[in-house]
Every structure is written in structure tokens, then in C-alpha cells.
Amino acid sequence: MMFNKLVKATVILITSMVIITVVLFYVGETINFINWKSSGVIGTGFNFEPDSVVTFADIGDEDFVSKPVPDSGDTILAIDGYPASEEYLRDTLFKPHPPGRQIEFKYIHDSDTSVATMESKASTNKEVIQFLLLSILRLLIVLSFIGVGLWAFVKRPDSNPVRALLLFSLAMASIVITAITFGHDQIDLYSNIFLSELFPYLNRIGLMFGAFWLNLQLLFPRPRKIIQNHPIPVYLAIYLPLPAVLVAGNYFEFGNTILALLGLTVLVQVTIGFVILARYHIKTKNSLEKRQTRLVLWGTGIGLAVFFLIIIIAIAAGQWLTGLGEFYRVGLLIIMLFGLLLSPISFAYSFGRYRLLEIEGRIKRGTRYAAVTVVLLIVFYLTIYGVSEFLLDTIGIVDRGPALLVALFLAIGFIPAQQKIQTFAEDKIYPERNRLKRMLRDFLEQGQTFTEQETFWIQLEQKLAESLKIDTVYPIMYFEKADKFYHWREKSELPFKPDSAFIKELSGLKNHPLMLDEAEASERFDIAYEEEQWLNDRHIAMILPLVTRSRLIGFLALPFSSDKGDFKAEDLSVLMSLASQVAVASENMVLIEENINKRRLEHELGMARKVQERLFPEKLPETPGLDVGAKSRFCLEVAGDYYDVIKLDDSRTVLTVGDVSGKGAGAALIMSNLQASLKTALKIKNELAEIVAQINDLIFENTTQDQFITFFVGVFDNRESVFTYVNAGHNPPVVIRDNGKIEELGEGGLLLGAFPNAVYEQGSVVLNKGDLLFLYTDGVSEAENNVNDMYGEERIKEFLAANSRLPASELLTNLESDVERFIGDTSFDDDFTLVAARVL
């Protein structure tokens, strides 16, 4: 416990020291830049050798206003007549001063003494922009390393791998600051006593990055057995070599030998770390760990490889690098900085454990793109250079026009060439990915011709299973009407709920694939036990959300491959494109099927309407002693209202009206059953009460409890002028006497289909000449206007009383018009039936 606290305190101390030093450094950097921008500057460098010897280094020809120009390595004897010294040189050239200051140098070149005059110049806009770009990029890398290390440490301060990551990140930030300079530091513009005291420690921490890297690889993504079983010998082997070399350098003046030993030690530690990481990556069977290690190998491997390569080039071929020119040196520096930037990104995602494949794919694509671009730029430069040399040396043409014309043609073809080379490289490096792209492209082109979902999903399952080497695919679709998720084929309800955290996460991904193990490890959201169980039982590895118009319509669940292999980063962009296209295709097919079903239903309802219309009297029969009119309008294609006028013999006529609960096809079927039952019963029985009781039992047996019928039936006997009737729960018909008196016909019983064995009473009324009998359904009385007022029974009675002497058909037409005027722009919500009979 005490050792753990000591380690934690040491890590916090080192972190605090590095952060303070970095802050002081960038304060000085800012002040330096402001003063450097307004001060005179030179491009020539100087070496300060032992015994106060000063020599020229990296000569800038443009700095000298007199000839001859010295060479690198020439020894300076005097400066403005004073003996050459580092102190005097810094006081004259390395302090802020106005541009244009001239200094005379006396130096030795090939044993001869010469004199040259140097003049400082103002920094150019190009130099300012170049410095700002490089400085911002360096700052971004420093902040990325420190930020990633601190982020991980704050989350898990007691984790040994996290502590190792923080130390490695601090060391990388330190080495980026101490080892990478941009040329303006020759001016002593800013001095801080704390910075000068802390900077050597920052330099030593930077030198330790190899040890920290090796330590990290023995702990990431999980501790190795050797460090668990033998911690003390392992840590001594990691951290003792560099201090031992530094101590030896303090006691023995080996000079360059010590520097070489330091570099070799760091290089060996970094190499061993990469070997350990690569070995673990090859051996691990855990797909998440394999993804983590692969991402770090790609990200940090590229950055450190470029970093070491450029350092080795600078050491082994410094003069050649200087001869390349400023443009290429800056280009190499930018490449190195961008390479280093990949390292904190890869570690951030590896320790965050989320979207590893996506980031790995971006790193790979970015690396290939950069490589192709660099190669093309080299070809571009060599071609221009070769053409210029040929025109100048061989043909003797000094005009720049032909060379510029060649450059113009090359520039025009640069982007197309880059794309073709990129495609060619991908075809050669990742043939499986291109086969997958071609297969899916062909399938989706063919899929545009699919009009039903079964063929589409079967084909997609087969193609994906074949291309990704998985056993099957689970297309899970959301059915909005049921508000549930189903497997498209099995139609069985699944444990995924529309309001669950898992489904909400998928809805926000916008067709981004979700690696299930990464999602669970990242703990970004909770997966319900039932959902997790379903996914684990089927060994699901990846979820491909299907999102269209910002709406999740389902997802594809992809299991691990048959050989338990993981998905590849190269497949990710293909699958992302596939998800959006499958979502659109699936929704289109749903719309097509709905349209087909709608048309089929419309056709079937049209046929049903024609059948139902035939059930109503096409032409009213002769009605002895009565003038009869009837009218019915449907609110849907078919109706639940019913009326009939049936002539029994030369003196008797049946008038009936009914209203089935509900609307549409179901109500229409029950209505047709009612009509058939009535006509059959009328042929067998004479008593209306018995007929209605028998029909009630039939309706009860053949319908559900929520289905019933309000029904009215009556028989008018012309010889006796008597109207006999039964009202089964219907709106009471009315009789308007010739003298204006109104009577309601309510004798009967319960509505049909509510209870079995119901008993009905039979009523009768005498109808005299001029009396009007009116039957209707509640679609008339309950018709509402836009303020929800109903037409009502009282308005019906008032209208009938005022118009009772009109012929029956004309009366009904006028009543319908009056109801339409009352409701205005609103539509009828129920079927609407009217029957009127006047006694002649």
C-alpha cells in the first residue's frame, strides 16, 4: 500500500513539473515569437566548440553582403575586431535588434584568413507563417500527449497501465519540446530562471520515453506474467540502463560515445516494446484486445518510426538533408509531427475502448493517402527538375515557359493520378475489401428491382454471410404500428424496446457500425439483461444500425466469423455505406408493399362495395298504400348501416333499418348476415318479436362481445292501416301525424347480439292518410359541425314537421342538404341512412 502511494505521488510530482515547464516554455515561446518577428534575423548557424572556439554552421548565403562567403566549419577569429566568443556573438546578433545590423567576421578558410560582412534581415511573411504552422502543430501534439495521459489518469489513478501511459505521454511531450526546434531560437529573446532550472529535467524525462514505452507494453492491454511474477528485476532492467549511461557520462568524458549509447539504449527499449506488443497482438484471442493492440501498433508505430527515421537521416546524412532546401526540410518536419500526432489518438481510443476499428481505418487510409501524395510530389519535383536541366544544358533554352507548361500539365493530372494510384494500392493490399464492395454494389443495383422484402433479405443474408465469412445475419426490423422489434422472417417479438438505452444509442449512430464488445467495455450506455442475453446467445459481434431520415427502422446483427475472426477496419467504410443504402432500400420496399396492399385493399373494398350496394334495394318495390323513399351514404368504402324495403304480399310491406357497431368491412359483413337472417326468418315466421329474438341469437353466436346491432323492423298492413314493429335498441323512428303531432316508436327490447335468449315486445300503431313514418340511423342525429355541436333529434323533428307534406324522396334529399349545411366543412364520421314512408 505504501509503495503504491509512493509511486502515485512520484507520478503526480513528475506530471506537475512537466506541466509547469511546458507552460513556462510556451510563455517564453510566445514572447520570443513576438520579438523575433520584429527583430533582425539570420539564417546562418554557429557551433560553440570547447576552448571558446566558434565556427560557422549551416551557412545562409543570403546573410552575407560581401564576398567571399565562408563555408560550414570555418573557424571565426574576430567579430567586429573583437576576439570571437559566444558571449559577444550573443550580445550582437542573438539579442533583439532592428533589421539591417552589419557585423564583420574574420575567419580562417583553408589556412587562409578572410573577412566577410553579415547583415541581419527582417523575417519574411513566409517564415512567419511557416513558424506559426509548425509551432501550432507542435503545441497540438504536446497538448494531445499530456491530455490523453491526464484523462486516463484522472479516470483510473490506481491503474498501473494508466500510470505507465501517463509517464510515456509526458516523456513524448517533453521530447517534442526539447528535440524539435524551428530556427528562431538562435535569438536570446526570453529568459526565465525557473525555466532554465527545470528545462534540463524536462530533457531527461524526454530521454526516458523508451523506458516508459517498454514499461507500458508490459502492462497494456493487460499485465504480462513476467512483470507480475518478477516486478523488481523487470523494473530495474527497464529503468537502470539510461541513468547508468548518464552517470558514466558525468565521470568519463566519452563525448559522442555517450550520446551514441543513449540513443542506442532508447532505440533498443522502443524496439523491445514493439516486439512485446506485436507478439501479444498475434497471440491474444480476445477481439477487443486485438483491436486495441493493432490500433496502437498502427498509430504509435507509424509516428515513432517516422520520428526515428528522420533523426537517423539527420545524424547520418545531415549535409544531404541541409542541401535539400528549406521547403523539403520543413516538409519532413511536418510529416514527422503528423506522424507523432497519431500516437495520442491511438492511445486515447485504445484506453477509451470505443470505435477502435473506425479510427484504425482512418489511420490506415490517411497513411496510404500521405504515402501516395509524397511519392507523387517527388515524381513531380524530379520531372520538373529533369525537364529544366534538359532544356538548359542539352538544348540551351533559358526561357522558363516550357518548364512551366510541363508543371501545369503535371498539376492538372496530380489529383486523378493520386486517386488512381490510391485505388490500385487498395486493390493490391486489400483485395477482400474490394470484392466485398463489388459484391454489395452489384447486389444493391439488383436490389432496386426487388418489390418484396423476403427476396431482398434472403439475398442480403447470403451475400453478407459469404463475403464476411459469417454463418448468418439477423435483420431486426422495427414495426411502427406494433411499436416493437421483430426478426423480419420469424416475426417473433424480440427483447429490444424502442425506449431502451441500447436502441437510443443505435438511433444516434447514423449508420455507424457498433462493435458490441467495445460498447460494453466503454460503459457509454446500459444494455438490458434480456437484450444482452439475446445478443450473446447468437455470438453477435457487430450491430449495423439502419437509419433513414433520422429514424431508426431496424438493425443488422452480425455474429463473429465462423473461425472466430474479428472484423477488419477495411470493411468498416463499406458496411457504413451498406447500412445507409439498405435502410433506404428497405423503406422503399415497405412503401411499395404498403402501396400494393393498399391498392389490393382498395380493389377488394371496391368489390365489397359493389356487393353491398346490391344488397340494398336497387329499386324500391311497389309498396301498397305507401309513398316510400330511402337514402344511404357511406363514410368509408363499405358501411355498417342497413335498410330494406320488402314487399310481403299485396297488402303488407316490411320497413327496416339497422346500424352495426363500428365501420368498414367488418361492420359490412355483419350487416349482410343480418339481412340474410331477416329475409330467411320472414319466410318462416309471422310474429316480428319471434323473428327479432331468433336473429339476436344468431348474431350473438357469430360475433364477438364488442359487436352488436341496433335494429328496427316494422310491417305495414294496408288493409288495416296498422304498422306493427319491434325496436331493438335503435334510435326511435318517428310518426308525424297529418295534424303535426309527433310520436316515437320505442317498443321492443335490447340491441341485437348483446345477450342470448333475449325477449322482445311487439308494438303497433295505426297510420292514417297523410301520416309520415321516418326511420334513420345515428349518423344523421350525431353529425357534428366544426364546434362539435350535433344536428340532434330535435332538429330532425323540427325539419320533418316543417316539410312533412313533401314527397318522401324529395323530403330525404332536402334533409340531407340541411345536415350538410349544418356541418359545413367537416365530414361525416359515421354512415348516414334515411327511410321515409307517407301513407297514401
Side-chain angles (χ1 to χ4, degrees):
M1 181 64 73
M2 181 59 71
F3 178 75
N4 184 52
K5 288 183 178 180
L6 181 62
V7 171
K8 186 175 178 180
T10 304
V11 170
I12 293 174
L13 180 64
I14 293 173
T15 304
S16 303
M17 191 272 289
V18 170
I19 292 176
I20 291 170
T21 308
V22 168
V23 170
L24 291 174
F25 173 81
Y26 273 103
V27 169
E29 181 93 342
T30 304
I31 297 173
N32 278 0
F33 171 72
I34 293 171
N35 290 330
W36 169 79
K37 186 174 179 295
S38 59
S39 174
V41 296
I42 57 172
T44 300
F46 299 91
N47 289 326
F48 303 105
E49 308 288 348
D51 301 326
S52 300
V53 175
V54 182
T55 61
F56 286 109
D58 300 331
I59 296 296
D61 293 347
E62 67 280 359
D63 293 335
F64 292 90
V65 294
S66 66
K67 305 296 181 181
V69 175
D71 288 339
S72 294
D74 290 350
T75 301
I76 302 173
L77 299 176
I79 305 172
D80 283 341
Y82 293 93
S85 67
E86 179 180 354
E87 181 180 359
Y88 184 79
L89 188 61
R90 289 192 180 281
D91 286 338
T92 53
L93 272 181
F94 291 3
K95 294 292 183 184
H97 62 271
R101 173 178 291 181
Q102 291 189 353
I103 298 178
E104 184 182 84
F105 287 90
K106 186 178 181 180
Y107 62 94
I108 297 176
H109 175 73
D110 293 338
S111 301
D112 294 328
T113 301
S114 299
V115 176
T117 302
M118 178 183 290
E119 182 180 11
S120 66
K121 295 179 176 59
S123 54
T124 64
N125 289 335
K126 175 185 173 184
E127 291 171 332
V128 171
I129 293 171
Q130 174 182 298
F131 168 75
L132 281 175
L133 173 65
L134 292 173
S135 186
I136 290 171
L137 189 55
R138 181 175 65 177
L139 175 62
L140 183 62
I141 293 170
V142 170
L143 292 179
S144 297
F145 272 114
I146 295 177
V148 167
L150 283 176
W151 163 75
F153 185 72
V154 168
K155 280 195 167 186
R156 289 178 284 171
D158 296 320
S159 167
N160 286 330
V162 167
R163 291 171 182 171
L165 173 65
L166 175 58
L167 291 173
F168 170 72
S169 299
L170 295 174
M172 287 303 299
S174 302
I175 203 169
V176 168
I177 285 178
T178 57
I180 301 176
T181 58
F182 306 141
H184 76 287
D185 54 343
Q186 60 175 274
I187 306 294
D188 294 332
L189 302 173
Y190 176 78
S191 178
N192 185 293
I193 187 171
F194 296 107
L195 182 62
S196 60
E197 291 293 329
L198 291 173
F199 212 75
Y201 294 102
L202 193 71
N203 204 359
R204 287 176 175 80
I205 291 172
L207 281 175
M208 292 294 291
F209 88 92
F212 293 145
W213 167 258
L214 179 55
N215 186 11
L216 176 60
Q217 298 320 312
L218 288 170
L219 299 171
F220 172 79
R222 65 175 60 188
R224 310 299 191 270
K225 288 183 180 179
I226 187 171
I227 203 169
Q228 288 178 317
N229 298 333
H230 311 286
I232 295 177
V234 170
Y235 281 119
L236 289 175
I238 293 173
Y239 289 107
L240 270 184
L242 272 175
V245 173
L246 289 173
V247 170
N250 288 333
Y251 281 96
F252 306 101
E253 295 185 1
F254 290 145
N256 291 332
T257 304
I258 293 296
L259 292 177
L261 282 174
L262 285 173
L264 182 62
T265 302
V266 172
L267 184 60
V268 168
Q269 289 175 328
V270 171
T271 303
I272 294 173
F274 272 110
V275 170
I276 292 172
L277 181 63
R279 188 167 176 269
Y280 190 88
H281 171 73
I282 293 170
K283 293 183 107 180
T284 183
K285 301 299 181 184
N286 184 295
S287 58
L288 178 58
E289 290 181 354
K290 190 173 283 289
R291 247 174 274 141
Q292 288 176 291
T293 52
R294 184 169 60 232
L295 181 57
V296 172
L297 279 169
W298 265 99
T300 305
I302 291 171
L304 291 182
V306 172
F307 180 72
F308 274 111
L309 181 62
I310 292 178
I311 288 178
I312 291 170
I313 291 174
I315 294 173
Q319 295 218 346
W320 172 81
L321 191 61
T322 303
L324 280 178
E326 186 180 17
F327 174 79
Y328 294 99
R329 289 200 303 273
V330 172
L332 285 173
L333 193 56
I334 290 175
I335 291 172
M336 180 175 70
L337 291 173
F338 270 115
L340 288 175
L341 190 58
L342 297 176
S343 180
I345 292 174
S346 65
F347 271 111
Y349 279 90
S350 295
F351 275 77
R353 294 172 291 184
Y354 192 67
R355 290 191 183 175
L356 300 177
L357 279 179
E358 185 176 338
I359 297 301
E360 181 188 336
R362 288 180 185 175
I363 290 175
K364 288 184 176 181
R365 288 193 296 275
T367 305
R368 292 196 300 271
Y369 182 84
V372 170
T373 302
V374 168
V375 170
L376 281 176
L377 284 173
I378 293 172
V379 171
F380 185 91
Y381 172 77
L382 292 177
T383 304
I384 297 298
Y385 181 80
V387 169
S388 300
E389 290 296 312
F390 175 76
L391 293 174
L392 184 64
D393 296 341
T394 306
I395 304 178
I397 298 176
V398 295
D399 186 10
R400 296 181 182 178
L404 291 174
L405 189 62
V406 172
L408 177 63
F409 278 114
L410 286 173
I412 292 172
F414 188 87
I415 298 299
Q418 187 185 45
Q419 292 174 344
K420 287 189 184 224
I421 294 173
Q422 183 85 359
T423 304
F424 176 79
E426 289 187 0
D427 283 339
K428 294 300 180 184
I429 299 172
Y430 305 112
E432 298 84 2
R433 178 191 179 194
N434 285 282
R435 280 198 295 270
L436 175 63
K437 287 172 65 176
R438 284 192 293 270
M439 182 278 295
L440 293 177
R441 184 187 62 235
D442 294 343
F443 165 73
L444 290 170
E445 288 176 356
Q446 179 189 1
Q448 295 176 0
T449 62
F450 295 152
T451 58
E452 51 91 24
Q453 295 193 69
E454 183 172 0
T455 305
F456 177 82
W457 289 120
I458 290 175
Q459 290 283 331
L460 179 63
E461 286 184 38
Q462 291 176 349
K463 297 294 183 183
L464 276 178
E466 175 187 343
S467 302
L468 299 175
K469 296 179 182 177
I470 55 181
D471 294 330
T472 187
V473 178
Y474 298 92
I476 310 301
M477 305 305 295
Y478 173 65
F479 288 83
E480 192 169 3
K481 291 181 180 178
D483 197 29
K484 292 177 181 176
F485 285 87
Y486 296 91
H487 185 282
W488 77 269
R489 186 194 299 119
E490 298 171 0
K491 302 300 183 188
S492 56
E493 186 178 348
L494 299 176
F496 306 103
K497 305 300 180 186
D499 59 348
S500 74
F502 175 66
I503 295 300
K504 288 180 180 177
E505 177 72 11
L506 293 185
S507 300
L509 288 178
K510 297 181 180 178
N511 298 316
H512 275 78
L514 176 71
M515 299 304 298
L516 200 59
D517 51 7
E518 291 177 11
E520 291 175 344
S522 66
E523 298 179 354
R524 286 172 60 92
F525 57 91
D526 295 325
I527 301 179
Y529 174 77
E530 296 80 7
E531 294 174 331
E532 186 177 15
Q533 193 68 34
W534 189 93
L535 295 168
N536 290 338
D537 288 346
R538 288 155 185 81
H539 307 290
I540 301 302
M542 179 188 289
I543 303 293
L544 205 58
L546 303 177
V547 178
T548 177
R549 293 185 295 180
S550 301
R551 185 171 56 90
L552 182 74
I553 65 170
F555 58 89
L556 300 180
L558 310 179
F560 285 103
S561 62
S562 50
D563 59 356
K564 302 300 179 186
D566 198 10
F567 288 94
K568 297 180 176 62
E570 295 75 31
D571 298 334
L572 217 58
S573 59
V574 181
L575 292 174
M576 287 170 61
S577 173
L578 170 72
S580 59
Q581 295 181 68
V582 167
V584 172
S586 174
E587 188 172 48
N588 287 341
M589 277 184 291
V590 169
L591 294 175
I592 289 171
E593 287 190 0
E594 287 178 352
N595 190 37
I596 292 173
N597 292 335
K598 182 181 178 182
R599 289 183 181 180
R600 182 170 61 246
L601 181 59
E602 288 174 352
H603 176 72
E604 292 173 354
L605 288 175
M607 295 293 294
R609 185 186 184 99
K610 290 179 181 179
V611 171
Q612 189 177 24
E613 286 173 348
R614 293 194 189 101
L615 297 178
F616 289 98
E618 186 175 352
K619 182 180 179 182
L620 294 179
E622 293 182 9
T623 49
L626 294 175
D627 170 27
V628 179
K631 183 178 287 290
S632 186
R633 61 189 292 172
F634 304 163
C635 69
L636 299 176
E637 285 80 0
V638 289
D641 275 11
Y642 165 64
Y643 80 88
D644 211 344
V645 179
I646 305 169
K647 181 180 178 182
L648 292 179
D649 52 39
D650 291 340
S651 63
R652 293 185 304 158
T653 302
V654 176
L655 300 176
T656 182
V657 67
D659 186 1
V660 181
S661 61
K663 297 181 286 290
L669 289 172
I670 297 174
M671 184 273 285
S672 61
N673 188 20
L674 169 64
Q675 184 198 45
S677 301
L678 175 63
K679 288 191 174 181
T680 302
L682 285 171
K683 293 178 181 179
I684 300 173
K685 299 182 180 293
N686 290 321
E687 291 296 324
L688 282 181
E690 293 182 14
I691 290 173
V692 174
Q694 181 180 349
I695 293 173
N696 173 71
D697 292 342
L698 287 171
I699 297 300
F700 180 82
E701 291 175 4
N702 295 305
T703 58
T704 59
Q705 291 181 353
D706 61 340
Q707 292 177 316
F708 51 85
I709 305 171
T710 64
F711 181 62
F712 180 90
V713 60
V715 179
F716 177 67
D717 190 333
N718 184 43
R719 286 175 298 187
E720 298 180 3
S721 296
V722 174
F723 185 65
T724 306
Y725 68 90
V726 173
N727 188 338
H730 195 73
N731 306 71
V734 294
V735 176
I736 296 88
R737 297 296 183 180
D738 191 44
N739 60 9
K741 184 180 178 182
I742 298 177
E743 299 176 15
E744 291 186 350
L745 308 180
E747 200 74 28
L750 294 172
L751 42 77
L752 303 183
F755 298 99
N757 305 316
V759 177
Y760 293 89
E761 294 182 1
Q762 193 169 281
S764 63
V765 61
V766 176
L767 296 179
N768 299 314
K769 178 182 176 182
D771 291 345
L772 177 67
L773 174 64
F774 180 73
L775 295 73
Y776 64 99
T777 61
D778 60 10
V780 183
S781 59
E782 295 178 3
E784 293 183 348
N785 59 18
N786 54 9
V787 293
N788 298 326
D789 287 338
M790 291 193 295
Y791 190 75
E793 295 178 356
E794 291 305 315
R795 281 193 179 87
I796 293 174
K797 292 175 182 178
E798 289 173 5
F799 182 88
L800 293 175
N803 297 273
S804 62
R805 298 190 182 279
L806 292 175
S809 296
E810 185 179 347
L811 173 71
L812 298 184
T813 300
N814 291 348
L815 177 58
E816 181 181 20
S817 299
D818 192 62
V819 176
E820 288 175 346
R821 278 193 298 271
F822 175 79
I823 67 174
D825 295 335
T826 58
S827 58
F828 287 99
D829 292 331
D830 200 357
D831 303 324
F832 180 107
T833 300
L834 308 171
V835 178
R838 176 183 306 286
V839 181
L840 299 176

